[in-house]
Amino acid sequence: VTGVQTCALPISGSSSTATTVSTTGDIVVAANDSSTIGAGAGQVNLSFLMKEDDEPFTIAAAAAAAANTVNQSVSASVETATLSAPTGSIEVSAEAESSLTASAVGVAFTLATQASFLNLDGAGSGTSNTLTSSVLAEVADSTVNAGSLAVTATDSTTVEASAGTLAIQVLPSGPGAAFSMAVGVSIAENTLGSSSTPNQVVAQVVDSTLNLS
């Protein structure tokens, strides 16, 4: 699954005309992303050697993979504006609480009731989540008149990758196979941001006038 999530709630004006919001109560500017994204995959491969005229070997292989790649942006901002709540509170908040889940299972199974010279079972699974996230709460180039001001940014996104494999052989007693092997490999990986685009959580007041009582 590949996607771009954007959640923005701005109050903005221009350098020549500022936006004005005035109230006797409270002012809340809030942006929240609570998306749920999941990817899953599975594969089962069965091999049987049951009769004497069957080929004297069995091979079973299974592979499954699941991946999520998400770019997430959440912002709540007040820019070039005047907010007035003289007896109330003003809150500017941005929160990301998304959930990313990737799971994969691979199963390889062999059942032989006859002797054979070769039995091979292999199962593999892999999952990955890649998340690039930016969470911003900001008051910039603005005037705030209020009893109190809170500017908060929170990222509580959960990321889970799980992978499982099962390789099983059921062979007859006695000499059995000249060569028999069962192998399972699982890989699960989570990547949060990168050196070029690190994840960011920022709450800031920039170039603004605050009049708090």
Side-chain angles (χ1 to χ4, degrees):
V1 177
T2 300
V4 177
Q5 299 168 239
T6 301
C7 180
L9 184 60
I11 293 179
S12 62
S14 66
S15 58
S16 60
T17 305
T19 297
T20 299
V21 178
S22 180
T23 181
T24 57
D26 301 328
I27 297 175
V28 177
V29 182
N32 177 276
D33 185 353
S34 55
S35 304
T36 299
I37 299 174
Q43 184 176 22
V44 177
N45 198 317
L46 308 177
S47 178
F48 298 97
L49 177 59
M50 307 294 291
K51 299 182 296 183
E52 291 185 0
D53 57 352
D54 285 341
E55 296 292 340
F57 64 87
T58 63
I59 298 176
N68 291 313
T69 300
V70 176
N71 296 322
Q72 173 180 257
S73 177
V74 183
S75 65
S77 62
V78 176
E79 299 178 1
T80 318
T82 298
L83 302 185
S84 295
T87 60
S89 63
I90 295 178
E91 177 185 352
V92 180
S93 66
E95 182 177 12
E97 51 180 352
S98 300
S99 174
L100 276 70
T101 304
S103 58
V105 177
V107 178
F109 176 79
T110 291
L111 173 62
T113 60
Q114 304 293 326
S116 59
F117 71 85
L118 177 66
N119 296 117
L120 296 177
D121 286 86
S125 63
T127 59
S128 71
N129 288 307
T130 302
L131 173 67
T132 302
S133 178
S134 173
V135 182
L136 171 67
E138 180 182 53
V139 176
D141 301 312
S142 299
T143 299
V144 175
N145 305 305
S148 63
L149 171 67
V151 181
T152 61
T154 306
D155 189 347
S156 55
T157 300
T158 59
V159 180
E160 180 180 350
S162 58
T165 59
L166 190 62
I168 303 173
Q169 292 184 338
V170 179
L171 306 177
S173 60
F179 182 82
S180 181
M181 177 181 290
V183 177
V185 177
S186 296
I187 299 174
E189 180 182 47
N190 290 318
T191 302
L192 304 179
S194 65
S195 58
S196 58
T197 55
N199 287 356
Q200 296 182 334
V201 181
V202 177
Q204 62 185 8
V205 177
V206 181
D207 297 332
S208 297
T209 300
L210 306 181
N211 300 310
L212 306 178
S213 59

